[in-house]
């Protein structure tokens, strides 16, 4: 099961208005600057592709900050998405990065290692209690002490399942699986009852699945991956059983979010991640499916769902540390996160915000149904994706998983090879 595909599907619908990975950095330093001085001076704030759709929100936010702190001036820089990671690298090397920047955990990691991100545990620890623990930990780096960005917006989502397909297989449609053991047992029963015609899942396991299964993903020092440990082999072996029984869709090896969604839409797959936008599509294009839609939490054997977290980082070499820290906190405080969450389908990372009626009170709409289900899971969710795991490493894992499912390698051999490849890439980074 691949919750990340659900998140990708959700993000795709928002991509033109709110990208779910943005980046930035400081330009060097120890990460222990003093933020206790007077909040004043001119700072720069960088976002990624937000100006076209959210200019009034951010200009209002900046004006409010400047009014609260007379003598401050915030220059907002909004960059296009294309080539942005390369630009960040170039700016980091050239010392030209802004004072405050939106970051994703994977992009802040190398910057923090290079001393380019301010350690908030040293300079802004008084704000830690304002955020969800899992969100605050989202920008911590294995092998390093400290936290290198304020948590900003979060994303996650529940699973959709087809109640009628569960009922046809003799399963209780009101009790979908919530743990991997339940998932495996019910998936095999569903495949058997349908004689291999109905798969439960359309996606192969990703690093998030290994995390939610309880696999140790990296060593504590952050110097090597560990998902090939026995529990990881156990998970992949279970998926191999599903694949052989056709409980995992035969096309899962090459599935995309779109193709997996189509499988669910045509009722060839019983479970799939998605968003409120999908519910509207089901109602229009597949009314029979829509009438039988169930919404459940992510599959997890740890008791904690997966979250995707974005943050706001402070340049470790800013000349205006008090102002930069104050503004980064201002952007991400409870009031402003709630305001932003009501403009686009994201979730605040601040403690207590998810108890707001906006995230708890039903109003009969599909959008609210999904929002409430997702918000509930975020209170204890964590970011399972290792911050040191690059897209290239994820591809290595995916290719190895595919070889194991096809029987070209044993699960143990496949994961050993994936860890070796990822460790080699880690040393090169």
């Amino acid at each position: 099961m691949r919750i990340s595909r659900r998140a990708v599907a959700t993000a795709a619908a928002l991509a033109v208005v709110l990208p779910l990975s943005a980046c930035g950095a400081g330009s060097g330093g120890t990460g222990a600057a003093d933020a206790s001085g007077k909040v004043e001076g001119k700072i720069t704030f960088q976002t990624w592709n937000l100006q076209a759709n959210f200019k009034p929100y951010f200009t209002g936010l900046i004006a409010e900050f400047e009014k609260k702190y007379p003598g401050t001036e915030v220059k907002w820089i909004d960059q296009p998405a294309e080539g942005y990671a390369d630009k960040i690298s170039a700016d980091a090397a050239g010392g030209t990065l802004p004072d405050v920047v939106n970051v994703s955990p994977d992009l802040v990691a190398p910057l923090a290692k290079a001393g380019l991100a301010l350690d908030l545990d040293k300079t802004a620890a008084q704000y830690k209690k304002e955020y969800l623990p899992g969100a605050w930990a989202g920008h911590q780096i294995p092998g390093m002490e400290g936290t290198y960005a304020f948590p900003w917006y979060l994303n996650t989502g529940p699973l959709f399942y087809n109640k009628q397909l569960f009922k046809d297989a003799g399963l209780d449609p009101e009790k979908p699986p919530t743990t991997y053991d339940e998932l495996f047992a019910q998936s095999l029963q569903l495949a058997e009852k349908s004689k291999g015609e109905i798969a439960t899942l359309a996606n192969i396991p990703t690093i998030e699945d290994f995390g939610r299964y309880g696999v140790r993903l990296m060593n504590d020092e952050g110097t090597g991956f560990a998902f090939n440990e026995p529990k990881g082999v156990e998970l992949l072996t279970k998926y191999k059983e599903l694949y052989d029984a056709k409980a995992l869709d035969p096309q899962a090896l090459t599935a995309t979010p779109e193709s997996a969604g189509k499988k669910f839409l045509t009722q060839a797959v019983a479970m799939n991640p998605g968003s409120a936008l999908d519910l509207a599509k089901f109602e229009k294009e597949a009314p029979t499916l829509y009438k039988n839609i169930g919404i459940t939490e992510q599959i997890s054997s740890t008791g904690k769902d997966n979250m995707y977290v974005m943050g706001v980082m402070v340049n470790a070499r800013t000349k205006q540390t008090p102002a930069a820290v104050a503004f980064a906190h201002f952007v991400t405080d409870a009031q402003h996160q709630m305001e932003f969450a009501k403009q686009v389908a994201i979730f605040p990372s601040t403690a207590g915000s998810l108890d707001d009626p906006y995230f708890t009170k039903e109003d009969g709409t599909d959008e609210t149904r999904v929002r409430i289900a997702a918000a509930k899971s975020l209170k204890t969710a964590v970011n399972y994706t290792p911050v040191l795991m690059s897209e290239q490493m994820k591809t290595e894992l995916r290719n190895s998983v595919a070889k194991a499912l096809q029987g070209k390698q044993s699960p143990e051999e496949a994961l050993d090879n994936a860890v070796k490849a990822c460790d080699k890439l880690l040393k090169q980074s």
Side-chain angles (χ1 to χ4, degrees):
M1 185 192 70
R2 193 176 182 188
I3 293 295
S4 62
R5 284 190 178 276
R6 184 253 338 119
V8 170
T10 302
L14 302 174
V16 295
V17 295
L18 184 64
L20 290 184
S21 64
C23 47
S27 51
T30 65
D34 184 8
S36 62
K38 184 178 180 180
V39 177
E40 62 182 357
K42 183 177 180 179
I43 59 173
T44 50
F45 169 49
Q46 181 169 286
T47 56
W48 173 36
N49 197 30
L50 297 180
Q51 192 171 44
N53 293 283
F54 298 102
K55 185 175 181 179
Y57 172 78
F58 284 102
T59 54
L61 182 76
I62 290 169
E64 185 182 348
F65 178 80
E66 291 174 344
K67 182 179 180 180
K68 181 177 181 179
Y69 296 102
T72 60
E73 181 182 346
V74 179
K75 180 182 179 182
W76 178 25
I77 304 169
D78 189 61
Q79 299 283 2
E82 186 176 357
Y84 198 51
D86 291 338
K87 184 181 187 306
I88 289 298
S89 296
D91 285 351
T96 57
L97 290 177
D99 301 289
V100 180
V101 287
N102 182 204
V103 294
S104 57
D106 60 315
L107 291 171
V108 79
L111 300 170
K113 283 189 169 185
L116 306 181
L118 197 66
D119 180 0
L120 300 181
D121 285 342
K122 292 181 178 178
T123 57
Q126 70 271 27
Y127 298 125
K128 180 178 179 178
K129 63 183 181 298
E130 297 180 18
Y131 301 89
L132 295 169
W136 184 264
H139 293 89
Q140 294 174 350
I141 316 300
M144 296 182 65
E145 294 184 0
T147 300
Y148 295 93
F150 283 101
W152 194 7
Y153 54 87
L154 310 176
N155 219 329
T156 191
L159 281 170
F160 292 142
Y161 70 100
N162 188 319
K163 290 184 176 182
Q164 187 61 51
L165 293 182
F166 273 69
K167 186 177 180 180
D168 292 345
L171 298 168
D172 188 340
E174 302 305 324
K175 294 182 179 180
T178 58
T179 68
Y180 280 92
D181 286 344
E182 293 173 351
L183 174 68
F184 297 143
Q186 293 188 30
S187 297
L188 290 173
Q189 181 173 330
L190 200 150
E192 182 181 1
K193 291 289 185 178
S194 68
K195 297 182 179 180
E197 293 296 319
I198 304 296
T200 301
L201 306 173
N203 298 299
I204 64 175
T206 63
I207 195 66
E208 293 89 355
D209 288 290
F210 284 87
R212 284 194 305 272
Y213 193 65
V215 179
R216 188 171 65 107
L217 304 180
M218 292 196 76
N219 62 31
D220 294 338
E221 297 75 27
T223 57
F225 289 90
F227 52 80
N228 61 334
E229 66 177 25
K231 198 167 184 65
V233 175
E234 177 182 282
L235 176 67
L236 187 51
T237 299
K238 293 288 187 180
Y239 265 90
K240 170 63 171 163
E241 293 174 9
L242 297 187
Y243 186 76
D244 290 343
K246 296 187 178 180
L248 180 64
D249 187 78
Q251 297 178 18
L253 302 182
T254 57
T256 64
E258 293 75 21
S259 65
K262 187 175 181 180
K263 289 277 186 178
F264 186 73
L265 183 72
T266 58
Q267 304 190 66
V269 170
M271 300 188 80
N272 200 57
S275 71
L277 298 174
D278 291 311
L279 286 179
K281 182 177 182 179
F282 299 155
E283 184 176 22
K284 180 180 179 181
E285 299 181 17
T288 301
L289 169 63
Y290 180 77
K291 291 177 181 178
N292 290 292
I293 281 290
I295 300 176
T296 187
E297 59 195 70
Q298 296 177 16
I299 304 297
S300 173
S301 295
T302 65
K304 295 185 178 185
D305 287 354
N306 184 59
M307 71 163 66
Y308 298 87
V309 56
M310 288 298 115
V312 177
M313 190 192 80
V314 176
N315 184 331
R317 281 194 177 176
T318 176
K319 296 179 180 180
Q320 305 292 349
T321 300
V325 170
F327 183 72
H329 173 253
F330 192 78
V331 171
T332 63
D333 68 20
Q335 175 189 337
H336 298 106
Q337 286 210 48
M338 180 61 74
E339 291 173 359
F340 199 34
K342 290 183 177 180
Q343 294 198 27
V344 66
I346 48 86
F347 300 87
S349 63
T350 40
S353 295
L354 297 175
D355 293 324
D356 187 274
Y358 183 70
F359 297 109
T360 60
K361 187 176 181 180
E362 292 279 5
D363 61 8
T365 65
D366 290 334
E367 182 179 0
T368 300
R369 289 173 65 197
V370 174
R371 182 170 66 239
I372 289 174
K376 182 180 178 181
S377 73
L378 278 170
K379 292 181 180 180
T380 58
V382 297
N383 178 22
Y384 285 108
T385 306
V387 298
L388 299 178
M389 191 168 200
S390 67
E391 289 301 319
Q392 190 174 357
M393 295 173 192
K394 292 176 185 178
T395 298
E396 291 287 351
L397 174 58
R398 182 176 179 82
N399 290 343
S400 292
V401 167
K403 290 177 181 177
L405 296 180
Q406 292 172 313
K408 296 179 179 179
Q409 294 179 357
S410 70
E412 183 175 11
E413 181 184 9
L415 292 182
D416 283 346
N417 288 337
V419 164
K420 289 178 183 177
C422 289
D423 284 350
K424 182 178 180 179
L425 290 168
L426 184 64
K427 290 178 182 178
Q428 295 172 354
S429 63

